[in-house]
Structures are given as C-alpha cells and as structure tokens.
Amino acid sequence: MLYLVPSPLSQKTPKQPLLEADLALVRQCNTWLVENAKPARAALGLFNMPVAIRDLQILEIAQLNPQQRHDVIQRCKAGDPIAVMSDAGCPGVADPGAEIVALAHRLECPVHPLVGPSSILLALMASGLNGQNFRFYGYPPLDPGQRDAWIKQSERESKTQQCTQIVIETPFRNEKLIDALLKQLSDSTLLCIGWDLTGDEQQIHTKTVGHWKKRVPSPGKSPCLFLWLSA
C-alpha cells in the first residue's frame, strides 16, 4: 500500500496532523518518499515512530531516477508499506508527490490517502468566498509582467464565472505578490489572505482590495494562501 501522509502546515508551531487510527498505519512504513528530507524528519518526529528516524529510508523524490521510482513502487505493490509526504499539507497537491501517485496507478499499486490538513481547503472554508465554484492555480507566473497580466485575466474570469481564484506563493515572495495583487485587482474585489494556517500565529482575513490598501498585511515569510472573488 502507498500511503499519502499529510504533514504539519505551520513550520513555526507544528502540530501532529494525523488521526490516531492513521498513525498506526504510518508507523508500519520504513520507506518515505518526500519532497525534502529536513522537514520530513521534523514531521516524522511528531509521529512517534517505533524505530529511530535515522534508521528509516527517507528518499527525496527529485533525486530518484525513473528506474529507482519504478523499483520503489514495485516493492510497495509486493506488500512493503511505503509513505509519500510533502513538506507541508497534503502530498500530491502542488507537490512532486503527484508524480509518484501517478506511477503507482500505472503500475496498479494501491493508493491510500490519509486525512489531514489542506491549506487550500482551510483557507477557502474561512474566506467566506464562493466555495461552490473555485479554481486553484498553484503558483502565479514568476515574470512580473506575465504575473500582472495573469492577475488581471483571473479577475475577469472570477467576475464572469463568479469563481474564487486561489494561489500559493513561495514565502520569500509574499510581499511582491501582495503588492501586485493590490495594484492589479479592482478596489471592489474581495481578497482573502491567510498565513501560518493551524499555527499559533494563524491569521485569515477577507477584505476588499480598497480596504487592504489602507493597511497592507505583513505575513513575513510565513506560508500564505491568496484567494479573490470579483464582485
């Protein structure tokens, strides 16, 4: 079985994210396919694994070649329980774990997603924006010109379709994205910004862009979610 294991969202004040019944499942796993080894070890420290973390096989997905990935999934299919874990939140969503899950399906290896925090759904739940029709884009374009044009286009789509637009951003680019959103979106558009979700410093606020301009938020380098809906 290939277990898809959610990890803590907050890096500042991480909390054990799994159901008690699911902890029993992940404690069977001695091989972990992860985004990055350092945050994976930190998350594993919350799971009270029955063996020392140094004795687990922790493999960074990006470092595995196609044959190595194939071999790991074949082991899993043969009965070795293996886990996939992201740096934060649910694996496979804006995360390289999706490549492993796709391979598992091609090789007919069973996949079992575990219950845990999704920053996307938590932010949408708390935003008050349209939860019936929403679109998650992942990361916005890196090029400033392309990013600004994309923000304008997404706002037009939001207005015509009444669709909540959702993006994430690398924490060190939070301020640049906030600045771009406040410049490119209409003052009447509702903008929700949430950061450090599930952490002790969690903040989630929905205001018009015009209101945000009067007091620009400062999430620092906390992981952020950005959602907007055009009136």
Side-chain angles (χ1 to χ4, degrees):
M1 184 71 71
L2 186 69
Y3 292 104
L4 309 182
V5 182
S7 59
L9 293 177
S10 174
Q11 303 301 310
K12 295 179 180 178
T13 52
K15 298 176 176 65
Q16 197 289 104
L18 302 180
L19 299 175
E20 194 64 33
D22 289 343
L23 281 172
L25 297 175
V26 303
R27 287 169 182 157
Q28 303 173 40
C29 300
N30 290 320
T31 298
W32 290 74
L33 304 176
V34 304
E35 188 174 0
N36 291 290
K38 184 177 179 180
R41 291 190 184 97
L44 286 166
L46 300 173
F47 297 162
N48 293 321
M49 299 296 289
V51 300
I53 294 173
R54 64 176 177 273
D55 294 330
L56 297 172
Q57 185 180 35
I58 300 175
L59 305 173
E60 293 187 349
I61 294 169
Q63 302 304 315
L64 299 177
N65 63 40
Q67 185 60 52
Q68 290 170 323
R69 295 182 181 198
H70 182 277
D71 292 346
V72 170
I73 297 303
Q74 288 289 25
R75 276 174 45 206
C76 187
K77 184 178 177 180
D80 187 5
I82 291 174
V84 178
M85 187 164 61
S86 176
D87 281 356
C90 295
V93 182
D95 170 74
E99 301 168 9
I100 299 299
V101 176
L103 177 60
H105 285 298
R106 290 197 296 273
L107 297 178
E108 298 185 344
C109 174
V111 175
H112 187 92
L114 302 184
V115 175
S118 163
S119 60
I120 300 162
L121 290 180
L122 290 173
L124 181 62
M125 289 163 59
S127 70
L129 304 181
N130 190 352
Q132 293 274 50
N133 187 18
F134 56 91
R135 183 175 181 181
F136 173 62
Y137 290 91
Y139 294 88
L142 277 175
D143 177 79
Q146 293 179 2
R147 179 200 60 209
D148 291 351
W150 173 81
I151 291 171
K152 285 286 192 184
Q153 176 62 28
S154 74
E155 184 180 39
R156 288 192 290 270
E157 291 179 2
S158 177
K159 185 169 186 176
T160 58
Q161 301 173 19
Q162 279 302 285
C163 178
T164 300
Q165 314 289 293
I166 308 173
V167 299
I168 55 177
E169 183 55 291
T170 302
F172 70 84
R173 287 197 287 266
N174 282 340
E175 291 186 6
K176 290 183 179 180
L177 181 56
I178 290 171
D179 181 66
L181 290 170
L182 296 186
K183 287 179 178 177
Q184 301 303 322
L185 295 174
S186 302
D187 282 357
S188 59
T189 292
L190 288 169
L191 173 63
C192 176
I193 303 176
W195 61 90
D196 195 36
L197 270 64
T198 73
D200 291 348
E201 298 178 13
Q202 172 180 280
Q203 296 286 328
I204 307 171
H205 302 284
T206 299
K207 303 175 183 179
T208 65
V209 169
H211 192 118
W212 278 121
K213 287 179 178 178
K214 297 175 184 177
R215 188 173 182 180
V216 179
S218 300
K221 291 183 171 57
S222 293
C224 277
L225 267 291
F226 304 88
L227 308 85
W228 57 94
L229 181 65
S230 179

